[in-house]
Amino acid sequence: MKKMVINGGRILTGEIKISGAKNSAVALIPAALLSDGVVKIDNIPNISDIDALREILEYLGATVVRDKSYITIDSSEIVNKEIPENISKKLRASYYFMSALLGKYKHVEMYFPGGCSIGARPIDQTLKAFRALGATVKEEGNKFTIDAEELIGGHVYLDMPSVGATINTLLASVRAKGTTILENAAKEPEIVNVATFLNNMGAKITGAGTSEIRIKGVSKLTGCFSEVIPDRIEAGTYVLAGALIGKDLKISNLISEHIESLTLKLEEMGVPLKIEEDSIVVSKGEHLKPVNVKTLGYPGFPTDLQQPLTTLLTQCEGTSTLEETIYENRFQNVEYLNKMGADITINKRKIYIEGKTPLHGEEVSATDLRAGACLVLAALAAKGKTVVGNVEHVLRGYENMIEKLSNVGADIKEEN
Ligand code: EPU
């Protein structure tokens, strides 16, 4: 298990460049196998989730070449075989292979996906979409066998705007016969990125980014060149670092519109921000006002920034509240923040943060990816030395985090 050792209290100044979005890249890579040609994607982040997907592609027989920020995928030699559980459970996004293989070969055998343990995370909406397209789903324990003689465009209504189910519906229906209408779709920028990528291959998708998406099936998809959008969650995390302990910290290569729900809250708190279209300059705020935040699907406040935001709320003067509406188990960071000096109480899906409380160094542990990011932020602002254990969770989602933070003045290193 790897650890991060952080000596807190160093002012962060300079520039942090944002990498490609994890949650887009992890969908584009499985989606690439729907193409009959060679696909080249730029701005792929260098994180372990990408390595896990590459392992699945290569296991299936694809040729994958990584060169700097590019990945080139040739799926022409793929053999559609069962994906073993030990590789599918490495990450949530492995289930995009379920829909991509089903969409191309009308048959797939694989196991329940992995992912951070932040809630039950069922896949019923994805299975419902497959059935709406005419597929049959056989479940034996953790294993799913999905077959269709033919996939036929259908009407899919999601019970909740699930990101995963929206992407899976796109991938399964893009080569189906006829038109699929997907209602109550998720509207996250990552969905638009996936739809644009598929359209670059020759798909006919309209409405991505709204709650109704129409997918007119095509019989063939060609090779293409595409790009991953900047990671809005990475961007938000570093903007929060600047609000905690920055001095003119510039976060660049982002799309500021994608994190407007965060920057509006920061302005409400009194954090000094200079917002441009593709960069944000942020400094530590004084006498921050408390705020009330509720997580929602895009364009609402993202659940993935809820835990990193909690660290900043400990520095507001008064009581802030944070309500988590997406996941039932996303407060595992609270115990450790309290150990570091915070005063937070949990009441079902809501936490109450009393501020301002000074933070001090402690031994803590990353229970999941964004809990880890929250603790790294706390460690940067805390007095003394913090050791964050289990940082494999953090490195799954943040490219070169140690290098990026060291470059702007943090005292941070990795230890085994
Ligand atoms: N849900 C169901 N049934 C389904 C699908 C979802 O009940 O079939 C529920 C989930 O349990 C959850 C809610 O609906 O309560 C939303 O889940 P969603 O499907 O939108 O999430 P996801 O696709 O599993 C992606 C990201 C998450 C991010 C969420 C929400 C990837 C690989 N993961 O997950 O990212 O929190 O969307 O924006 O794209 C992270 O990066 O730390 C992370 C967890």
Side-chain angles (χ1 to χ4, degrees), residues 363-374:
E363 286 219 359
V364 294
S365 178
T367 50
D368 55 82
L369 167 56
R370 309 300 173 188
C374 153

Side-chain angles (χ1 to χ4, degrees), residues 195-237:
T196 307
F197 175 59
L198 292 169
N199 283 345
N200 287 350
M201 289 187 208
K204 292 201 159 55
I205 301 170
T206 53
T210 75
S211 55
E212 185 176 306
I213 305 181
R214 282 173 183 257
I215 308 117
K216 198 170 162 200
V218 294
S219 58
K220 202 173 149 27
L221 291 173
T222 61
C224 77
F225 172 78
S226 233
E227 218 177 332
V228 178
I229 56 169
D231 195 313
R232 64 196 166 95
I233 306 302
E234 188 199 16
T237 303

Side-chain angles (χ1 to χ4, degrees), residues 261 265 268-269 289-295 301 309 313 316 318-323 350-353:
S261 60
K265 278 292 160 192
E268 204 180 311
M269 290 160 72
K289 292 191 196 74
V291 290
N292 302 313
V293 179
K294 186 173 173 172
T295 62
F301 193 91
L309 175 69
L313 297 184
C316 292
T319 310
S320 296
T321 65
L322 232 167
E323 188 177 346
K350 202 165 177 179
I351 56 174
Y352 297 80
I353 306 109

Side-chain angles (χ1 to χ4, degrees), residues 73-91:
I73 301 166
D74 179 350
S75 315
S76 54
E77 304 289 320
I78 274 194
V79 178
N80 183 18
K81 54 184 175 179
E82 179 189 305
I83 299 176
E85 189 167 16
N86 64 330
I87 47 180
S88 72
K89 76 172 184 213
K90 282 189 184 168
L91 76 170

